[in-house]
Amino acid sequence: SSGAGNAPTLQTRLSGAVTAGPVRDADVTVYRIDIGTRALTRIGATTTDAAGLYSLVVDGPGPFLTVATGGSFRDEATGATLSLGATTLLRSLDDPRTGAIEVLLGSESAGADQVANVNPLTRLASLRAATASITSATALTDLGVRALTDEVAREFGFAPGVDLRRIRPLDFTSTADAAAIAAAPDSPEARLGALLAGLSALADNIPLAGSVVSPVTGAGLVAPAATNGPGVPPLELIDALAEDARDGALDGLAPDPAGGSGPIAFNGGELDPATGTTMLAGATATFLDNPALNMSGTTSGDFSGLLADINRVDNTPANAPPRFDAIADPTIPEDSGELAIDLTGLTAGTPAED
């Protein structure tokens, strides 16, 4: 409330689902971002309920960073009970947030009810926006955050305009969501649920460094973890992919302080450049075709469009110049003065905006 003669306090209700599998009893902390200094101020906190849902009211202007930590959830691929990263007080937008998932809302979002779902893909989008804001004055505006979130969504097979922050994914391990998945497998909610299950399966199929590895079996995946020891922790995989995605390209590289880029340390080695594309598509298909895990009654065939979209994602950062590689030595026939070159395998793209 406000005192006599004072302007009313700007209030914003934030609500949504925390999902890596529904995360119950997670600590949800909301920070205000100082755009000039990148400092974070804690302005609210709550915990999720048994379904992973949260809701709270915060005062004052945005932008807002909402971080979920702790709690417990059932890993979709292994059935193990896991927790998000440890709850620590953040001071800067550049502080590490190992094992946490988060969502970012832009500077004009205050003063209204906002749906802000939190999941691994919103973590990727949030870190991309935080990285872009180092050099862009508009990256943390509503339009800037929305544009960067849309980039991440399109890289993972969603139609333009789908806002990952507003989607609550369907759970492929729950019979309660089976009918909704089967009725509309191409819906954003089903696609997001399939991707989260695929990320869990991918982590389970990457043998933890030091474990016994069985022969590789297709699409860059190893045999099920029961035969090769434990897989990598799924949140470790999410952290690596978030680091990979923050420069605008899923290519196994991340920007370094010197202005260049370098490989991402992962699981005792380096992140495979195909982790977020062909490897993820293969793991998602494997999960979908396993009726012991996928309770929806669907198969990879029902998600062929999604899997194709992930496989063919363009990993080139926006506005990067095209690259042409010669696959044969061009030779001009003697006395002809002409050379014909056939270009194949080209697909139409979407022009990037400044």
Side-chain angles (χ1 to χ4, degrees), residues 117-167:
N117 290 310
V118 186
N119 59 65
L121 291 195
T122 63
R123 160 87 164 121
L124 269 63
S126 176
L127 189 57
R128 182 173 295 185
T131 301
S133 69
I134 296 172
T135 56
S136 170
T138 62
L140 296 182
T141 65
D142 272 5
L143 287 176
V145 174
R146 175 62 189 269
L148 292 165
T149 302
D150 188 65
E151 277 185 13
V152 172
R154 285 186 283 114
E155 286 162 14
F156 285 93
F158 293 88
V162 171
D163 191 337
L164 296 171
R165 301 169 298 173
R166 317 303 184 194
I167 302 169

Short mmCIF file of all heavy atoms in Angstrom, two decimals, residues 117-167:
data_model
loop_
_atom_site.label_atom_id
_atom_site.label_comp_id
_atom_site.label_asym_id
_atom_site.label_seq_id
_atom_site.Cartn_x
_atom_site.Cartn_y
_atom_site.Cartn_z
N ASN A 117 7.60 -19.30 -16.66
CA ASN A 117 7.97 -20.69 -16.43
C ASN A 117 9.49 -20.83 -16.47
O ASN A 117 10.18 -20.12 -17.21
CB ASN A 117 7.33 -21.59 -17.49
CG ASN A 117 5.83 -21.69 -17.31
OD1 ASN A 117 5.35 -21.96 -16.21
ND2 ASN A 117 5.07 -21.45 -18.38
N VAL A 118 10.00 -21.77 -15.68
CA VAL A 118 11.43 -21.96 -15.50
C VAL A 118 11.79 -23.38 -15.90
O VAL A 118 11.25 -24.34 -15.34
CB VAL A 118 11.85 -21.71 -14.03
CG1 VAL A 118 13.36 -21.75 -13.89
CG2 VAL A 118 11.29 -20.39 -13.52
N ASN A 119 12.69 -23.53 -16.86
CA ASN A 119 13.09 -24.86 -17.32
C ASN A 119 14.45 -24.75 -18.01
O ASN A 119 14.99 -23.65 -18.14
CB ASN A 119 12.03 -25.46 -18.25
CG ASN A 119 11.77 -24.61 -19.48
OD1 ASN A 119 12.65 -24.43 -20.33
ND2 ASN A 119 10.56 -24.06 -19.59
N PRO A 120 15.04 -25.85 -18.41
CA PRO A 120 16.38 -25.77 -19.02
C PRO A 120 16.48 -24.86 -20.24
O PRO A 120 17.51 -24.21 -20.43
CB PRO A 120 16.67 -27.23 -19.37
CG PRO A 120 15.98 -28.00 -18.29
CD PRO A 120 14.68 -27.26 -18.09
N LEU A 121 15.44 -24.81 -21.08
CA LEU A 121 15.55 -23.95 -22.26
C LEU A 121 15.44 -22.48 -21.90
O LEU A 121 16.08 -21.63 -22.54
CB LEU A 121 14.49 -24.33 -23.30
CG LEU A 121 14.68 -25.68 -23.99
CD1 LEU A 121 13.81 -25.77 -25.24
CD2 LEU A 121 16.13 -25.95 -24.36
N THR A 122 14.65 -22.13 -20.87
CA THR A 122 14.64 -20.72 -20.44
C THR A 122 15.97 -20.36 -19.80
O THR A 122 16.38 -19.20 -19.82
CB THR A 122 13.49 -20.42 -19.47
OG1 THR A 122 13.63 -21.18 -18.27
CG2 THR A 122 12.14 -20.72 -20.11
N ARG A 123 16.67 -21.34 -19.24
CA ARG A 123 18.03 -21.11 -18.74
C ARG A 123 18.95 -20.72 -19.89
O ARG A 123 19.74 -19.79 -19.78
CB ARG A 123 18.53 -22.37 -18.04
CG ARG A 123 20.04 -22.49 -17.88
CD ARG A 123 20.53 -21.83 -16.62
NE ARG A 123 21.88 -22.25 -16.29
CZ ARG A 123 22.92 -21.43 -16.17
NH1 ARG A 123 22.78 -20.15 -16.37
NH2 ARG A 123 24.11 -21.89 -15.85
N LEU A 124 18.86 -21.44 -21.01
CA LEU A 124 19.68 -21.10 -22.16
C LEU A 124 19.38 -19.70 -22.66
O LEU A 124 20.28 -18.92 -22.97
CB LEU A 124 19.46 -22.12 -23.28
CG LEU A 124 20.39 -23.35 -23.31
CD1 LEU A 124 20.23 -24.20 -22.06
CD2 LEU A 124 20.13 -24.18 -24.56
N ALA A 125 18.09 -19.36 -22.75
CA ALA A 125 17.70 -18.05 -23.25
C ALA A 125 18.13 -16.94 -22.29
O ALA A 125 18.57 -15.86 -22.72
CB ALA A 125 16.18 -18.00 -23.45
N SER A 126 18.02 -17.18 -21.00
CA SER A 126 18.41 -16.19 -20.00
C SER A 126 19.90 -15.89 -20.08
O SER A 126 20.32 -14.72 -20.06
CB SER A 126 18.04 -16.70 -18.60
OG SER A 126 18.49 -15.81 -17.61
N LEU A 127 20.72 -16.94 -20.19
CA LEU A 127 22.16 -16.71 -20.26
C LEU A 127 22.54 -16.02 -21.56
O LEU A 127 23.47 -15.19 -21.59
CB LEU A 127 22.91 -18.03 -20.11
CG LEU A 127 24.43 -17.91 -19.95
CD1 LEU A 127 24.79 -17.04 -18.76
CD2 LEU A 127 25.07 -19.29 -19.81
N ARG A 128 21.83 -16.32 -22.65
CA ARG A 128 22.13 -15.62 -23.90
C ARG A 128 21.82 -14.14 -23.77
O ARG A 128 22.59 -13.29 -24.22
CB ARG A 128 21.34 -16.22 -25.07
CG ARG A 128 21.67 -15.54 -26.39
CD ARG A 128 21.04 -16.21 -27.58
NE ARG A 128 21.55 -17.55 -27.79
CZ ARG A 128 21.22 -18.32 -28.84
NH1 ARG A 128 20.37 -17.85 -29.75
NH2 ARG A 128 21.72 -19.53 -28.96
N ALA A 129 20.68 -13.79 -23.13
CA ALA A 129 20.33 -12.39 -22.94
C ALA A 129 21.33 -11.69 -22.02
O ALA A 129 21.73 -10.55 -22.27
CB ALA A 129 18.92 -12.27 -22.37
N ALA A 130 21.74 -12.38 -20.95
CA ALA A 130 22.73 -11.79 -20.04
C ALA A 130 24.04 -11.52 -20.76
O ALA A 130 24.68 -10.48 -20.54
CB ALA A 130 22.95 -12.73 -18.86
N THR A 131 24.46 -12.43 -21.63
CA THR A 131 25.69 -12.24 -22.39
C THR A 131 25.55 -11.11 -23.39
O THR A 131 26.44 -10.25 -23.51
CB THR A 131 26.07 -13.55 -23.11
OG1 THR A 131 26.23 -14.59 -22.15
CG2 THR A 131 27.36 -13.38 -23.90
N ALA A 132 24.42 -11.07 -24.09
CA ALA A 132 24.21 -10.00 -25.08
C ALA A 132 24.17 -8.63 -24.42
O ALA A 132 24.59 -7.63 -25.02
CB ALA A 132 22.91 -10.26 -25.84
N SER A 133 23.70 -8.56 -23.17
CA SER A 133 23.56 -7.27 -22.51
C SER A 133 24.90 -6.64 -22.15
O SER A 133 24.95 -5.45 -21.80
CB SER A 133 22.70 -7.42 -21.25
OG SER A 133 23.38 -8.16 -20.24
N ILE A 134 25.98 -7.40 -22.24
CA ILE A 134 27.31 -6.83 -21.99
C ILE A 134 27.63 -5.75 -23.02
O ILE A 134 28.24 -4.72 -22.71
CB ILE A 134 28.38 -7.93 -22.01
CG1 ILE A 134 28.14 -8.92 -20.86
CG2 ILE A 134 29.79 -7.34 -21.92
CD1 ILE A 134 29.04 -10.14 -20.91
N THR A 135 27.19 -5.96 -24.25
CA THR A 135 27.50 -5.03 -25.33
C THR A 135 26.27 -4.35 -25.92
O THR A 135 26.41 -3.40 -26.68
CB THR A 135 28.24 -5.76 -26.47
OG1 THR A 135 27.45 -6.87 -26.92
CG2 THR A 135 29.59 -6.27 -25.99
N SER A 136 25.06 -4.82 -25.58
CA SER A 136 23.83 -4.26 -26.17
C SER A 136 23.02 -3.54 -25.11
O SER A 136 22.70 -4.12 -24.06
CB SER A 136 22.99 -5.37 -26.79
OG SER A 136 21.70 -4.90 -27.14
N ALA A 137 22.67 -2.30 -25.39
CA ALA A 137 21.87 -1.52 -24.45
C ALA A 137 20.41 -1.96 -24.42
O ALA A 137 19.67 -1.58 -23.51
CB ALA A 137 21.95 -0.04 -24.82
N THR A 138 19.99 -2.75 -25.40
CA THR A 138 18.58 -3.13 -25.49
C THR A 138 18.33 -4.60 -25.15
O THR A 138 17.19 -5.04 -25.16
CB THR A 138 18.04 -2.86 -26.90
OG1 THR A 138 18.77 -3.66 -27.85
CG2 THR A 138 18.18 -1.39 -27.27
N ALA A 139 19.37 -5.36 -24.84
CA ALA A 139 19.20 -6.80 -24.65
C ALA A 139 18.30 -7.13 -23.48
O ALA A 139 17.65 -8.19 -23.47
CB ALA A 139 20.57 -7.47 -24.46
N LEU A 140 18.22 -6.27 -22.46
CA LEU A 140 17.41 -6.54 -21.28
C LEU A 140 16.08 -5.79 -21.28
O LEU A 140 15.37 -5.79 -20.28
CB LEU A 140 18.19 -6.22 -20.00
CG LEU A 140 19.44 -7.08 -19.77
CD1 LEU A 140 20.11 -6.70 -18.46
CD2 LEU A 140 19.10 -8.57 -19.78
N THR A 141 15.74 -5.17 -22.41
CA THR A 141 14.38 -4.64 -22.56
C THR A 141 13.43 -5.79 -22.85
O THR A 141 13.86 -6.90 -23.16
CB THR A 141 14.32 -3.63 -23.70
OG1 THR A 141 14.59 -4.33 -24.95
CG2 THR A 141 15.32 -2.50 -23.52
N ASP A 142 12.14 -5.53 -22.76
CA ASP A 142 11.17 -6.58 -23.08
C ASP A 142 11.38 -7.12 -24.48
O ASP A 142 11.40 -8.34 -24.71
CB ASP A 142 9.74 -6.04 -22.95
CG ASP A 142 9.19 -6.18 -21.53
OD1 ASP A 142 9.97 -6.59 -20.65
OD2 ASP A 142 8.02 -5.86 -21.32
N LEU A 143 11.54 -6.20 -25.44
CA LEU A 143 11.71 -6.63 -26.83
C LEU A 143 13.02 -7.39 -27.01
O LEU A 143 13.09 -8.38 -27.75
CB LEU A 143 11.65 -5.43 -27.77
CG LEU A 143 10.28 -4.80 -27.98
CD1 LEU A 143 10.39 -3.56 -28.87
CD2 LEU A 143 9.31 -5.81 -28.61
N GLY A 144 14.07 -6.94 -26.33
CA GLY A 144 15.36 -7.61 -26.46
C GLY A 144 15.35 -9.02 -25.90
O GLY A 144 15.82 -9.98 -26.55
N VAL A 145 14.79 -9.18 -24.70
CA VAL A 145 14.72 -10.52 -24.09
C VAL A 145 13.83 -11.43 -24.93
O VAL A 145 14.15 -12.60 -25.15
CB VAL A 145 14.21 -10.43 -22.64
CG1 VAL A 145 13.99 -11.82 -22.06
CG2 VAL A 145 15.20 -9.65 -21.78
N ARG A 146 12.71 -10.89 -25.41
CA ARG A 146 11.79 -11.70 -26.22
C ARG A 146 12.47 -12.17 -27.51
O ARG A 146 12.34 -13.33 -27.92
CB ARG A 146 10.53 -10.90 -26.55
CG ARG A 146 9.55 -11.61 -27.48
CD ARG A 146 9.02 -12.90 -26.87
NE ARG A 146 8.25 -13.66 -27.83
CZ ARG A 146 6.93 -13.54 -27.99
NH1 ARG A 146 6.24 -12.68 -27.26
NH2 ARG A 146 6.30 -14.28 -28.88
N ALA A 147 13.23 -11.28 -28.15
CA ALA A 147 13.89 -11.65 -29.39
C ALA A 147 14.93 -12.74 -29.17
O ALA A 147 15.03 -13.70 -29.95
CB ALA A 147 14.54 -10.42 -30.02
N LEU A 148 15.69 -12.64 -28.09
CA LEU A 148 16.72 -13.65 -27.81
C LEU A 148 16.10 -14.96 -27.38
O LEU A 148 16.60 -16.04 -27.72
CB LEU A 148 17.68 -13.11 -26.75
CG LEU A 148 18.54 -11.93 -27.23
CD1 LEU A 148 19.19 -11.21 -26.06
CD2 LEU A 148 19.60 -12.41 -28.20
N THR A 149 14.99 -14.90 -26.65
CA THR A 149 14.27 -16.12 -26.28
C THR A 149 13.70 -16.79 -27.52
O THR A 149 13.72 -18.02 -27.65
CB THR A 149 13.14 -15.79 -25.29
OG1 THR A 149 13.70 -15.17 -24.12
CG2 THR A 149 12.40 -17.05 -24.86
N ASP A 150 13.22 -15.97 -28.46
CA ASP A 150 12.68 -16.51 -29.72
C ASP A 150 13.78 -17.19 -30.53
O ASP A 150 13.55 -18.23 -31.16
CB ASP A 150 12.04 -15.38 -30.52
CG ASP A 150 11.30 -15.89 -31.75
OD1 ASP A 150 10.31 -16.62 -31.59
OD2 ASP A 150 11.73 -15.57 -32.88
N GLU A 151 15.00 -16.62 -30.51
CA GLU A 151 16.12 -17.27 -31.20
C GLU A 151 16.35 -18.68 -30.67
O GLU A 151 16.51 -19.64 -31.43
CB GLU A 151 17.41 -16.46 -30.97
CG GLU A 151 17.61 -15.28 -31.88
CD GLU A 151 18.97 -14.63 -31.63
OE1 GLU A 151 19.82 -15.26 -30.94
OE2 GLU A 151 19.19 -13.52 -32.12
N VAL A 152 16.41 -18.80 -29.34
CA VAL A 152 16.63 -20.11 -28.74
C VAL A 152 15.49 -21.07 -29.08
O VAL A 152 15.72 -22.24 -29.41
CB VAL A 152 16.81 -19.98 -27.21
CG1 VAL A 152 16.85 -21.36 -26.54
CG2 VAL A 152 18.08 -19.20 -26.89
N ALA A 153 14.26 -20.57 -29.03
CA ALA A 153 13.11 -21.42 -29.35
C ALA A 153 13.21 -21.96 -30.77
O ALA A 153 12.99 -23.16 -31.00
CB ALA A 153 11.82 -20.63 -29.16
N ARG A 154 13.55 -21.11 -31.72
CA ARG A 154 13.64 -21.55 -33.11
C ARG A 154 14.78 -22.55 -33.31
O ARG A 154 14.67 -23.47 -34.12
CB ARG A 154 13.78 -20.35 -34.04
CG ARG A 154 12.47 -19.58 -34.21
CD ARG A 154 12.55 -18.47 -35.24
NE ARG A 154 13.24 -17.32 -34.71
CZ ARG A 154 14.41 -16.87 -35.14
NH1 ARG A 154 15.04 -17.50 -36.11
NH2 ARG A 154 14.95 -15.79 -34.62
N GLU A 155 15.87 -22.38 -32.56
CA GLU A 155 16.98 -23.32 -32.67
C GLU A 155 16.58 -24.72 -32.21
O GLU A 155 17.18 -25.72 -32.64
CB GLU A 155 18.18 -22.81 -31.85
CG GLU A 155 18.88 -21.65 -32.51
CD GLU A 155 19.76 -20.88 -31.54
OE1 GLU A 155 20.02 -21.39 -30.44
OE2 GLU A 155 20.18 -19.76 -31.89
N PHE A 156 15.57 -24.81 -31.36
CA PHE A 156 15.12 -26.11 -30.87
C PHE A 156 13.79 -26.53 -31.48
O PHE A 156 13.07 -27.35 -30.91
CB PHE A 156 15.04 -26.09 -29.34
CG PHE A 156 16.39 -26.16 -28.68
CD1 PHE A 156 17.05 -25.00 -28.32
CD2 PHE A 156 17.01 -27.38 -28.46
CE1 PHE A 156 18.31 -25.05 -27.73
CE2 PHE A 156 18.26 -27.44 -27.87
CZ PHE A 156 18.91 -26.28 -27.51
N GLY A 157 13.48 -25.98 -32.65
CA GLY A 157 12.36 -26.50 -33.42
C GLY A 157 11.01 -25.89 -33.17
O GLY A 157 10.00 -26.43 -33.63
N PHE A 158 10.93 -24.75 -32.48
CA PHE A 158 9.64 -24.11 -32.25
C PHE A 158 9.37 -23.07 -33.34
O PHE A 158 10.30 -22.48 -33.90
CB PHE A 158 9.62 -23.43 -30.87
CG PHE A 158 9.65 -24.40 -29.73
CD1 PHE A 158 10.86 -24.83 -29.22
CD2 PHE A 158 8.49 -24.90 -29.18
CE1 PHE A 158 10.91 -25.74 -28.17
CE2 PHE A 158 8.51 -25.80 -28.14
CZ PHE A 158 9.73 -26.23 -27.63
N ALA A 159 8.10 -22.85 -33.60
CA ALA A 159 7.72 -21.88 -34.61
C ALA A 159 8.06 -20.47 -34.14
O ALA A 159 8.08 -20.19 -32.93
CB ALA A 159 6.22 -21.98 -34.90
N PRO A 160 8.33 -19.55 -35.07
CA PRO A 160 8.58 -18.16 -34.68
C PRO A 160 7.42 -17.62 -33.85
O PRO A 160 6.25 -17.89 -34.13
CB PRO A 160 8.68 -17.43 -36.03
CG PRO A 160 9.14 -18.49 -36.99
CD PRO A 160 8.48 -19.75 -36.53
N GLY A 161 7.75 -16.88 -32.81
CA GLY A 161 6.72 -16.29 -31.96
C GLY A 161 6.37 -17.11 -30.74
O GLY A 161 5.66 -16.61 -29.85
N VAL A 162 6.82 -18.36 -30.66
CA VAL A 162 6.57 -19.17 -29.47
C VAL A 162 7.49 -18.68 -28.35
O VAL A 162 8.71 -18.66 -28.51
CB VAL A 162 6.80 -20.67 -29.75
CG1 VAL A 162 6.75 -21.47 -28.45
CG2 VAL A 162 5.76 -21.18 -30.73
N ASP A 163 6.90 -18.28 -27.22
CA ASP A 163 7.67 -17.77 -26.10
C ASP A 163 7.84 -18.87 -25.06
O ASP A 163 6.90 -19.28 -24.39
CB ASP A 163 6.95 -16.57 -25.47
CG ASP A 163 7.81 -15.81 -24.47
OD1 ASP A 163 8.76 -16.40 -23.93
OD2 ASP A 163 7.52 -14.62 -24.22
N LEU A 164 9.06 -19.38 -24.94
CA LEU A 164 9.34 -20.50 -24.04
C LEU A 164 8.97 -20.18 -22.59
O LEU A 164 8.68 -21.09 -21.81
CB LEU A 164 10.82 -20.87 -24.11
CG LEU A 164 11.33 -21.40 -25.45
CD1 LEU A 164 12.86 -21.49 -25.43
CD2 LEU A 164 10.71 -22.75 -25.78
N ARG A 165 8.97 -18.92 -22.24
CA ARG A 165 8.67 -18.53 -20.86
C ARG A 165 7.20 -18.72 -20.52
O ARG A 165 6.85 -18.78 -19.34
CB ARG A 165 9.08 -17.07 -20.63
CG ARG A 165 10.57 -16.81 -20.89
CD ARG A 165 10.87 -15.33 -20.90
NE ARG A 165 10.15 -14.65 -21.97
CZ ARG A 165 10.14 -13.34 -22.13
NH1 ARG A 165 10.82 -12.56 -21.31
NH2 ARG A 165 9.47 -12.79 -23.14
N ARG A 166 6.36 -18.79 -21.53
CA ARG A 166 4.90 -18.89 -21.29
C ARG A 166 4.39 -20.33 -21.42
O ARG A 166 3.19 -20.58 -21.26
CB ARG A 166 4.14 -18.01 -22.28
CG ARG A 166 4.74 -16.63 -22.51
CD ARG A 166 4.89 -15.80 -21.25
NE ARG A 166 5.38 -14.45 -21.56
CZ ARG A 166 5.85 -13.60 -20.68
NH1 ARG A 166 5.91 -13.94 -19.40
NH2 ARG A 166 6.29 -12.41 -21.04
N ILE A 167 5.27 -21.28 -21.73
CA ILE A 167 4.84 -22.66 -22.00
C ILE A 167 5.14 -23.54 -20.80
O ILE A 167 6.27 -23.55 -20.29
CB ILE A 167 5.57 -23.23 -23.23
CG1 ILE A 167 5.31 -22.37 -24.45
CG2 ILE A 167 5.13 -24.66 -23.50
CD1 ILE A 167 6.21 -22.72 -25.62
#
